[in-house]
């Protein structure tokens, strides 16, 4: 009886430990993702600053169609990058699961 109870307690502790390890790994991945997002935000802010400075210097010379096309293409690239990150994260989760 006591041995059975002890085995149950040990099994429960092992399960809790495995859950903690899973949560720890998830927290590490989330921290890495936050770090990457901060880096991307900084890059985007820098690009925006450069574009605004360029636009300010050429207020009457700017080809708005060209600028709009560049903005649209940049948005599309960002969307594709996001999809890639999501797929990579999904692959990591699936790899970790199995």
């Amino acid at each position: 009886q006591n041995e059975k109870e002890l085995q149950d307690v040990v099994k429960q502790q092992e399960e809790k430990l495995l859950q903690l390890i899973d949560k720890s790994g998830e927290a590490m991945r989330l921290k890495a993702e936050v770090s990457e997002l901060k880096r991307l935000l900084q890059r985007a802010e820098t690009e925006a600053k450069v574009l605004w400075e360029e636009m300010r210097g050429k207020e009457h010379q700017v080809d708005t169609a060209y600028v709009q096309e560049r903005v649209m293409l940049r948005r599309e690239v960002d969307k594709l990058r996001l999809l890639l990150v999501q797929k990579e994260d999904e692959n990591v989760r699936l790899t970790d699961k199995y």
Side-chain angles (χ1 to χ4, degrees):
Q1 179 84 22
N2 286 339
E3 188 176 325
K4 173 72 172 144
E5 288 176 16
L6 184 58
Q7 287 176 349
D8 289 344
V9 169
V10 168
K11 185 177 179 181
Q12 289 173 356
Q13 290 300 320
E14 287 175 349
E15 289 173 0
K16 287 180 183 178
L17 183 60
L18 289 174
Q19 288 174 350
L20 287 174
I21 291 170
D22 285 347
K23 288 180 183 178
S24 174
E26 182 68 18
M28 288 174 57
R29 280 191 296 280
L30 290 173
K31 285 179 184 178
E33 186 176 344
V34 165
S35 177
E36 177 68 10
L37 289 172
K38 285 180 180 178
R39 188 186 67 75
L40 290 172
L41 175 60
Q42 186 177 19
R43 180 176 161 194
E45 288 172 342
T46 300
E47 290 174 1
K49 182 179 176 184
V50 169
L51 283 173
W52 278 115
E53 288 172 356
E54 186 177 320
M55 298 276 292
R56 247 185 264 128
K58 302 177 181 180
E59 286 180 21
H60 300 292
Q61 303 170 15
V62 175
D63 180 357
T64 55
Y66 170 75
V67 172
Q68 287 176 342
E69 181 181 0
R70 284 192 61 197
V71 169
M72 183 199 66
L73 289 172
R74 173 65 62 188
R75 286 181 183 157
E76 190 64 27
V77 167
D78 290 342
K79 209 183 321 179
L80 291 171
R81 282 185 182 146
L82 176 63
L83 287 172
L84 177 62
V85 168
Q86 289 172 342
K87 287 297 179 186
E88 288 173 346
D89 287 349
E90 186 178 327
N91 287 343
V92 167
R93 275 188 239 116
L94 288 173
T95 302
D96 289 349
K97 250 185 190 179
Y98 304 102

